[in-house]
């Protein structure tokens, strides 16, 4: 699907704005099934012009690499008819899945039993022996490194079979083997106990220094193998729809990527690819966050330097979700900022416009904001807003926010229209907002009250009179110097690097001159 640009004619076909084909290369196969199910619901309601059999065939192709054989058989009958003969290849695959399942189950049974023994596990944890080396060195457990490796393979196998809950629980156990969480203090210890265990307190202080990274489930270190385990944990949380835990897992993966990138264990290109994948997976987390902070976190992540680079080079289509998030959380962020509310709202929009200029992508949502914020073309914005509702309602991630987005969009139109007019006729404004005069007046009164706009209603003249508020000097200074420290730090780092290069070049030349002189004599 080619994203519409300024030169692409407007269309009412929602399929033209469907981003499933753009997003799918960066998702786990299992994450595609919820998206395809949503497309099926759109086809049933006539909201999108896809063929249901084509979607079923696509789902069948996605199922082939997985171990969800029963599900694949059901889809095969859906495509070829209820009485269709199941191919022998599928029957053989099903038999192979059950055989492999039993092999892995037997191969990891000893460690699974230890995980279920809460008393034994608690003792190992309290004595700092809940790790691979300590467990495998104790012959009484009958656990080897291969046993633990089979345990992780069994977790992944359960995931591929569609048992995401079981896979998540097993991955948690596996991660805990490499973690070092802080020890709990016994607050009720008496003075005598403290005197006896004075040496132990010193040891505990030393152990606290070895506490792992709290942003990565207290892992003491991370490598590319553990990074894949963390990806698996995030995938499980998304698929069981535990969004609170998914947010924690998202932070863990992000921290692991940046740790490996900063230590050169990931090449810059590999780190860029990992960040691109993380941006796409984060859509599930941020757009399902019930706390209300998800969209703000999304804006922060998407506009950070390293992740913005991933958007502009690999995934410009993510601009749709960034634009929608900015519009939805703009007023919320403004209220939180208090006295600097206007400056905060302008900053969000200004940063968004900068991103728009770097991305070769456009759709009705992006175009709507651009027409208002950059071109101030209200007629064009109004026509794009009519398309926005269709795009939103047919987007898997945005569909739940359609009503709220349309409300915020009307507010955005009102704010920009008021910015260039001192007096606005209520009837004219109502036409632009698709409302009659009385409804527009009630809506604007509520808007002024809730959004803290500097305006008032003149009922006699039937117009809205805007205030003459302007940006204070304080707001301007704060806005312009907000990133001064970071920029100054960057200049210092660059200057230091330049000076080091000069010194190295000077030393190289001196060494070369000495070698030349020694060669002459």
């Amino acid at each position: 699907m080619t994203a519409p640009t300024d030169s692409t004619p407007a269309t009412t076909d929602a399929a033209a704005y469907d981003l499933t084909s753009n997003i799918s290369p960066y998702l786990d196969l299992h994450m595609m099934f919820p998206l395809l199910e949503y497309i099926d619901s759109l086809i049933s309601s006539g909201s999108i012009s896809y063929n249901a059999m084509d979607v079923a065939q696509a789902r069948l192709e996605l199922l082939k690499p997985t171990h969800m054989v029963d599900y694949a058989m059901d889809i095969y009958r859906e495509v070829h008819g209820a009485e269709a003969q199941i191919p022998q290849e599928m029957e053989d695959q099903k038999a192979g899945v059950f055989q492999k399942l039993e092999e892995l189950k037997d191969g990891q049974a000893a460690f699974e039993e230890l995980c279920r023994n809460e008393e034994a596990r608690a003792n190992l944890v309290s004595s700092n022996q809940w790790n691979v080396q300590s467990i495998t060195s104790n012959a009484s457990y009958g656990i080897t490194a291969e046993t633990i490796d089979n345990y992780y393979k069994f977790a992944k196998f359960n995931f591929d079979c569609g048992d995401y809950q079981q896979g998540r629980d097993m991955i948690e156990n596996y991660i805990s083997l490499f973690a070092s969480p802080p020890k709990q203090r016994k607050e009720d210890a008496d003075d005598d106990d403290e005197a006896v265990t004075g040496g132990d307190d010193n040891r505990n202080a030393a152990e606290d220094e070895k506490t792992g990274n709290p942003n990565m489930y207290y892992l003491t270190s991370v490598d590319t193998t553990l990074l894949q385990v963390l990806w698996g944990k995030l995938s499980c949380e998304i698929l069981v729809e535990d969004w609170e835990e998914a947010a924690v897992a998202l932070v863990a993966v992000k921290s692991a990527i940046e740790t490996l990138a900063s230590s050169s264990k990931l090449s810059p290109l590999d780190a860029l690819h990992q960040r691109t994948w993380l941006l796409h997976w984060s859509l599930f987390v941020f757009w399902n966050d019930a706390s209300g902070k998800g969209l703000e976190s999304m804006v922060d992540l998407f506009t950070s330097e390293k992740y913005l680079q991933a958007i502009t080079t690999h995934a410009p289509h993510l601009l749709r979700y960034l634009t929608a998030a900015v519009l939805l959380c703009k007023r919320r962020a403004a209220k939180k900022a208090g006295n600097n509310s206007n400056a905060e709202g302008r900053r969000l929009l200004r940063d968004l416009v900068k991103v728009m200029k770097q991305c070769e992508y456009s759709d009705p949502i992006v175009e709507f904001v651009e027409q208002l914020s950059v071109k101030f073309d209200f007629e064009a914005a109004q026509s794009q807003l009519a398309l926005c509702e269709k795009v939103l309602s047919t987007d898997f991630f945005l569909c739940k926010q359609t009503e709220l987005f349309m409300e915020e969009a009307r507010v955005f139109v009102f704010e920009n229209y008021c910015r260039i007019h001192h007096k606005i006729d209520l009837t004219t404004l109502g036409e632009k907002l698709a409302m009659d005069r009385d409804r527009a007046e009630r809506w604007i009164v509520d808007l002024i009250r809730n959004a803290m706009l500097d305006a008032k209603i003149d009922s006699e003249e039937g117009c809205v009179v805007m205030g003459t508020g302007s940006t204070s000097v304080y707001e301007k200074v704060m806005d312009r110097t907000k990133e001064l420290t970071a920029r100054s730090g960057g200049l210092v780092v660059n200057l230091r690097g330049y000076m080091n290069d000069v010194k190295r070049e000077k030393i190289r030349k001196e060494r070369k001159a000495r070698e030349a002189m020694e060669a002459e004599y």
Side-chain angles (χ1 to χ4, degrees):
M1 190 275 294
T2 302
T5 61
D6 291 340
S7 59
T8 305
T11 176
T12 57
D13 186 3
Y17 302 111
D18 179 35
L19 294 182
T20 304
S21 60
N22 301 73
I23 293 172
S24 58
Y26 301 100
L27 298 181
D28 185 276
L29 290 179
H30 294 258
M31 294 181 185
M32 285 301 301
F33 299 129
L35 270 67
L36 293 180
E37 288 174 5
Y38 184 68
I39 289 177
D40 277 335
S41 69
L42 294 176
I43 294 172
S44 300
S45 63
S47 301
I48 200 166
S49 60
Y50 285 148
N51 185 286
M53 296 307 295
D54 290 341
V55 175
Q57 186 62 47
R59 185 184 288 109
L60 188 60
E61 291 297 318
L62 288 172
L63 284 167
K64 285 184 178 179
T66 73
H67 302 318
M68 302 168 69
V69 188
D70 289 333
Y71 185 26
M73 289 179 175
D74 292 339
I75 300 301
Y76 183 87
R77 291 190 180 96
E78 181 182 329
V79 173
H80 299 281
E83 303 300 324
Q85 181 70 29
I86 299 297
Q88 186 61 39
E89 179 184 357
M90 281 190 171
E91 297 289 358
D92 293 342
Q93 184 184 3
K94 184 175 182 178
V97 166
F98 280 108
Q99 182 180 351
K100 185 65 175 178
L101 188 67
E102 290 301 318
E103 290 176 2
L104 290 174
K105 189 175 183 180
D106 293 339
Q108 57 82 53
F111 183 67
E112 183 179 17
E113 183 179 350
L114 179 61
C115 289
R116 292 179 177 177
N117 189 332
E118 295 182 3
E119 183 179 354
R121 178 170 178 170
N123 290 334
L124 288 170
V125 171
S126 63
S127 59
N128 293 325
Q129 293 183 334
W130 184 257
N131 55 68
V132 176
Q133 183 178 356
S134 299
I135 292 174
T136 55
S137 62
N138 191 330
S140 63
Y141 295 128
I143 297 173
T144 65
E146 184 181 1
T147 306
I148 295 176
D149 186 50
N150 283 334
Y151 185 82
Y152 175 65
K153 290 179 179 177
F154 189 48
K156 190 174 185 304
F157 199 88
N158 275 304
F159 175 86
D160 284 333
C161 290
D163 191 349
Y164 309 126
Q165 183 69 53
Q166 177 71 7
R168 177 180 73 165
D169 295 342
M170 295 181 72
I171 288 177
E172 285 180 356
N173 290 332
Y174 184 81
I175 290 175
S176 68
L177 292 172
F178 304 91
S180 179
K183 300 295 182 294
Q184 288 186 337
R185 302 292 187 185
K186 293 185 178 180
E187 301 294 341
D188 56 346
D190 55 47
D191 293 338
D192 292 338
D193 288 340
E194 289 180 358
V196 173
T197 60
D200 292 338
D201 289 341
N202 294 332
R203 283 194 295 272
N204 287 337
E207 288 169 3
D208 287 344
E209 294 179 359
K210 298 179 181 178
T211 299
N213 187 339
N215 291 327
M216 295 191 300
Y217 299 107
Y218 293 101
L219 291 175
T220 53
S221 62
V222 67
D223 54 22
T224 53
T225 301
L226 278 176
L227 175 59
Q228 294 306 311
V229 176
L230 292 175
W231 276 109
K233 179 73 162 63
L234 174 57
S235 183
C236 289
E237 300 294 358
I238 289 173
L239 291 166
V240 299
E241 299 184 1
D242 188 339
W243 305 120
E244 186 175 343
E245 286 299 319
V248 176
L250 183 72
V251 172
V253 174
K254 178 178 179 291
S255 300
I257 292 172
E258 300 311 322
T259 300
L260 291 173
S262 63
S263 60
S264 299
K265 294 179 181 178
L266 270 182
S267 69
L269 184 59
D270 288 338
L272 182 63
H273 289 156
Q274 294 278 339
R275 294 184 187 112
T276 307
W277 278 71
L278 187 66
L279 287 168
H280 286 83
W281 289 33
S282 72
L283 295 175
F284 289 92
V285 182
F286 291 137
W287 289 102
N288 286 284
D289 189 332
S291 68
K293 298 179 181 179
L295 296 184
E296 295 172 21
S297 300
M298 176 182 167
V299 172
D300 291 340
L301 177 65
F302 278 47
T303 54
S304 60
E305 182 180 356
K306 294 175 181 177
Y307 288 84
L308 182 57
Q309 182 185 15
I311 293 175
T312 55
T313 57
H314 282 68
H317 52 271
L318 292 180
L319 181 60
R320 168 186 294 184
Y321 302 102
L322 175 59
T323 304
V326 168
L327 200 61
L328 288 170
C329 71
K330 182 170 67 70
R331 279 202 297 165
R332 190 186 311 157
K335 288 181 180 180
K336 189 180 295 185
N339 292 334
N340 292 326
S341 59
N342 291 333
E344 181 63 18
R346 285 195 298 272
R347 183 191 67 79
L348 285 173
L349 285 171
R350 186 169 60 251
D351 291 346
L352 176 61
V353 171
K354 289 179 182 177
V355 179
M356 287 179 175
K357 292 178 180 178
Q358 299 176 51
C359 293
E360 295 183 1
Y361 172 83
S362 185
D363 64 20
I365 295 174
V366 175
E367 188 67 18
F368 166 72
V369 174
E370 184 178 2
Q371 292 293 346
L372 281 181
S373 298
V374 180
K375 301 177 180 178
F376 293 97
D377 187 338
F378 291 93
E379 297 300 326
Q382 192 173 3
S383 64
Q384 292 298 325
L385 185 59
L387 292 173
C388 282
E389 189 166 8
K390 181 178 287 291
V391 173
L392 289 160
S393 62
T394 54
D395 188 292
F396 174 81
F397 299 103
L398 302 178
C399 58
K400 296 178 182 177
Q401 305 290 339
T402 302
E403 186 175 345
L404 180 59
F405 180 94
M406 297 304 292
E407 175 67 15
E408 292 294 335
R410 292 190 180 98
V411 173
F412 192 39
V413 171
F414 181 70
E415 289 176 341
N416 281 273
Y417 197 76
C418 293
R419 192 178 300 168
I420 59 177
H421 294 83
H422 176 61
K423 276 189 175 184
I424 308 168
D425 182 69
L426 282 172
T427 304
T428 303
L429 187 59
E431 291 174 358
K432 291 189 177 295
L433 298 175
M435 298 177 179
D436 57 45
R437 184 186 180 284
D438 293 336
R439 186 184 170 198
E441 182 174 355
R442 290 193 300 271
W443 183 83
I444 293 169
V445 168
D446 291 337
L447 181 64
I448 293 171
R449 183 184 301 120
N450 297 329
M452 300 177 293
L453 293 177
D454 185 12
K456 61 182 180 180
I457 300 288
D458 188 335
S459 299
E460 293 183 1
E461 294 188 17
C463 64
V464 182
V465 181
M466 300 305 302
T468 57
S470 60
T471 305
S472 68
V473 174
Y474 173 77
E475 288 182 358
K476 291 179 180 179
V477 172
M478 289 294 292
D479 194 36
R480 291 179 179 275
T481 61
K482 191 167 187 177
E483 299 178 359
L484 188 59
T485 302
R487 291 179 179 177
S488 299
L491 286 173
V492 171
V493 171
N494 292 337
L495 182 59
R496 186 179 293 121
Y498 174 75
M499 295 300 295
N500 289 336
D501 290 341
V502 171
K503 289 179 181 178
R504 282 194 292 267
E505 182 65 18
K506 183 179 180 181
I507 293 171
R508 187 186 67 80
K509 289 181 178 179
E510 290 176 352
R511 185 186 298 115
K512 189 174 181 180
R514 283 198 305 270
E515 290 174 354
M517 292 178 63
E518 291 173 358
E520 290 180 3
Y521 294 101

